């Protein structure tokens, strides 16, 4: 099953366009997460890159493939999907 792509911004905040202190990543989702939900879902990445989740935006498959490495996307966890026991 193909899931929608969302782009998440992690940084010290507040988010300003062109801010180089932000780290952006691409995730798969069942439904759009709030910033708080995305921060919990990406807790290890937030810890690694510092700050907090500043933005969560839908992006197209074309944008995802143009800006992100999707070579291992079949292994990505999916926000909103139940984890297997």
């Amino acid at each position: 099953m193909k899931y929608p792509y969302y782009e998440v911004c992690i940084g010290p905040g507040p988010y300003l366009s062109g801010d180089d202190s932000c780290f952006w990543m691409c995730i798969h989702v069942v439904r759009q997460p709030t910033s708080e939900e995305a921060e919990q879902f990406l807790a290890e990445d937030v810890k690694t890159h510092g700050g907090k989740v500043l933005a969560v935006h839908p992006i197209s498959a074309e944008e995802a493939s143009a800006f992100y490495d999707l070579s291992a996307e079949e292994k990505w966890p999916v926000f909103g999907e139940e984890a297997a026991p």
Side-chain angles (χ1 to χ4, degrees), residues 4-81:
Y5 294 98
Y6 274 71
E7 191 173 52
V8 179
C9 176
I10 300 170
Y15 172 68
L16 302 171
S17 182
D19 186 350
D20 290 338
S21 67
C22 291
F23 175 79
W24 290 86
M25 62 188 308
C26 185
I27 63 172
H28 282 303
V29 303
V30 172
R31 63 168 178 81
Q32 182 172 355
T34 65
S35 293
E36 294 80 15
E37 290 172 326
E39 192 164 320
Q40 187 174 26
F41 180 70
L42 301 169
E44 286 298 315
D45 296 293
V46 170
K47 182 179 177 182
T48 299
H49 298 287
K52 59 186 177 179
V53 170
L54 302 174
V56 180
H57 302 287
I59 60 172
S60 68
E62 293 78 19
E63 291 169 310
S65 64
F67 299 111
Y68 296 98
D69 176 6
L70 305 181
S71 62
E73 74 174 298
E74 67 278 351
K75 297 177 185 174
W76 292 3
V78 178
F79 173 80
E81 186 175 72

